[in-house]
Amino acid sequence: MKDLTFYKGKKVLITGHTGFKGSWMCRTLVQAGAQVTGYSLEAPTNPNLFSMAEVEDKMNSVIGDIRDLEKLAKVFEEVQPEIVFHLAAQPIVRDSYKDPVYTYETNVMGTVNICECVRKNPCVKSFLNVTTDKVYENKEWEWGYRENEPLDGYDPYSNSKSCSELVTHSYKNSFFNEMGVAVSTARAGNVIGGGDFANDRIIPDCVRAAKEKKDIIIRNPFSTRPYQHVLEPVMAYLMIAKEQYEDAKYQGYYNVGPDETDCVTTGDLVDLFVAKWGEGMKWVNQYDGGPHEANFLKLDCSKLKTTFGWKPRWTVSEALDKTVEWTKAYFAGENVAEVMNQQIQEFLSE
């Protein structure tokens, strides 16, 4: 995406709009002049980015559970969206071990519900289901997974997102192809950026340690992940939805991740954070014997690159620069919505 003029005046519905990625997407689309409706539970953290993004009075924010098909259907009927982004999910691997039933209800039946609403509302021309890099059967190999690799997430979160993919594929084949709805899924890597306050994610853990002036605790410094700034996938989602809206040949399944040089270990990521934050911060390795998580995970994003001429804008180092910039502004009591606007404009102009 070089600019967002396509979205001016478009009716866009986003599920999961109060989450971290959803808040950045809302801020971006509100700036673009879209008619945005969000459907989500209350913001999942306190503090939360959605309230800081100053978008609630500039969009239609509906608080509702993705598992509530009746309420979701009413929103679709009232709004008549042209473009739908499905971000609502239970997104934390460790939480999925604690409550697998809720995770499957949200991530699988939630996808069934959104697909059912798209099926019953011919106003929808473009639908994007946002999943994860963890949908693949992880074989701990050193090269990136491609879109045609087998889906089979290990833990309840990853597996439920694999199921979400399969639900989408079934609805596409059974209904959407005949309806003329362009449908894609996007499998994104690990996102970082200003305003993530989630539990059990490494950069929010770093930020909390910085605020409390404590050492950062890392439970697995040797795990490798495809880290990227949150605007990378947000802009890629907007690009895919736009392109398939204009020409259905672009619908499909896409990995969205950084270049291989930015697939780094957790330890390396935290080293970068510590160096950029300053103030004498350090981290300690403290494995807590928690549940299974993949050690090695990379994405091959060749399809996105060759199809759209896409490439990542910011390196992992630059992504951390933006994260630290946002967080220090937040700690200083500055207007972080303005920081978001500035970073969005910087991203689009590069």
Side-chain angles (χ1 to χ4, degrees):
M1 296 293 289
K2 290 186 172 60
D3 67 71
L4 299 166
T5 52
F6 165 83
Y7 282 97
K8 188 173 183 179
K10 291 286 190 303
K11 293 181 180 179
V12 180
L13 188 143
I14 306 168
T15 70
H17 70 289
T18 61
F20 172 54
K21 205 181 278 186
S23 297
W24 275 96
M25 179 173 272
C26 288
R27 182 72 252 177
T28 303
L29 283 169
V30 163
Q31 267 191 260
Q35 297 179 40
V36 183
T37 295
Y39 183 93
S40 179
L41 297 174
E42 295 280 1
T45 61
N46 182 23
N48 75 82
L49 180 60
F50 183 67
S51 61
M52 297 177 194
E54 297 181 359
V55 291
E56 195 164 2
D57 62 343
K58 301 177 179 68
M59 59 178 283
N60 176 23
S61 176
V62 180
I63 299 303
D65 195 318
I66 195 68
R67 298 174 298 169
D68 186 345
L69 176 57
E70 185 178 351
K71 183 168 185 176
L72 183 65
K74 285 180 181 176
V75 173
F76 264 79
E77 289 167 16
E78 291 167 5
V79 172
Q80 292 290 291
E82 303 166 76
I83 301 168
V84 176
F85 295 97
H86 180 42
L87 279 68
Q90 191 298 97
I92 306 296
V93 170
R94 287 196 159 201
D95 287 353
S96 76
Y97 281 105
K98 297 170 189 172
D99 198 344
V101 172
Y102 174 73
T103 300
Y104 278 101
E105 285 176 349
T106 301
N107 296 354
V108 182
M109 287 310 300
T111 302
V112 172
N113 289 345
I114 196 80
C115 286
E116 189 65 4
C117 289
V118 171
R119 181 176 79 87
K120 291 185 174 180
N121 288 273
C123 55
V124 180
K125 304 301 180 196
S126 177
F127 170 49
L128 182 72
N129 180 16
V130 172
T131 63
T132 173
D133 55 359
K134 299 174 181 66
V135 296
Y136 296 106
E137 179 184 357
N138 193 305
K139 299 178 180 176
E140 301 285 354
W141 57 33
E142 294 186 8
W143 53 89
Y145 293 91
R146 296 168 296 179
E147 288 85 353
N148 58 354
E149 308 281 0
L151 304 179
D152 187 16
Y154 179 105
D155 57 86
Y157 164 72
S158 304
N159 186 265
S160 68
K161 297 298 273 187
S162 303
C163 294
S164 175
E165 288 268 357
L166 295 174
V167 167
T168 309
H169 303 176
S170 175
Y171 264 82
K172 180 177 182 294
N173 293 330
S174 300
F175 308 111
F176 297 151
N177 285 340
E178 293 179 2
M179 293 170 57
V181 182
V183 181
S184 290
T185 65
R187 304 158 183 175
N190 291 41
V191 292
I192 58 178
D196 189 359
F197 299 101
N199 293 319
D200 284 325
R201 283 213 283 254
I202 187 59
I203 293 302
D205 287 347
C206 291
V207 168
R208 281 186 283 270
K211 186 176 183 180
E212 297 167 10
K213 302 195 181 303
K214 294 180 178 178
D215 291 343
I216 302 164
I217 305 297
I218 304 183
R219 63 177 183 264
N220 190 355
F222 308 110
S223 61
T224 298
R225 294 287 186 273
Y227 292 104
Q228 58 190 331
H229 191 273
V230 62
L231 283 174
E232 300 282 4
V234 164
M235 294 298 184
Y237 303 157
L238 295 173
M239 175 187 69
I240 295 166
K242 168 188 177 292
E243 295 297 335
Q244 70 180 18
Y245 180 102
E246 295 178 332
D247 191 335
K249 75 179 183 182
Y250 291 113
Q251 65 183 332
Y253 319 115
Y254 295 99
N255 288 337
V256 184
D259 288 330
E260 186 163 343
T261 53
D262 291 312
C263 293
V264 299
T265 67
T266 305
D268 288 340
L269 183 79
V270 178
D271 281 339
L272 276 171
F273 179 89
V274 165
K276 292 173 186 300
W277 191 271
E279 301 178 17
M281 287 195 75
K282 64 181 192 298
W283 61 269
V284 294
N285 181 6
Q286 190 172 308
Y287 178 62
D288 61 4
H292 172 276
E293 294 189 49
N295 284 312
F296 202 93
L297 184 55
K298 286 184 181 179
L299 291 174
D300 182 332
C301 299
S302 302
K303 183 179 178 182
L304 197 67
K305 291 176 178 179
T306 56
T307 304
F308 301 113
W310 174 90
K311 62 180 180 179
R313 298 282 211 282
W314 290 338
T315 64
V316 68
S317 177
E318 290 169 319
L320 279 168
D321 285 334
K322 303 302 180 188
T323 305
V324 168
E325 175 187 52
W326 188 100
T327 306
K328 292 206 169 187
Y330 165 62
F331 284 174
E334 297 174 20
N335 185 329
V336 294
E338 286 304 315
V339 179
M340 294 173 80
N341 285 349
Q342 177 188 329
Q343 292 185 353
I344 290 165
Q345 291 306 317
E346 286 175 17
F347 190 93
L348 288 169
S349 66
E350 290 190 14

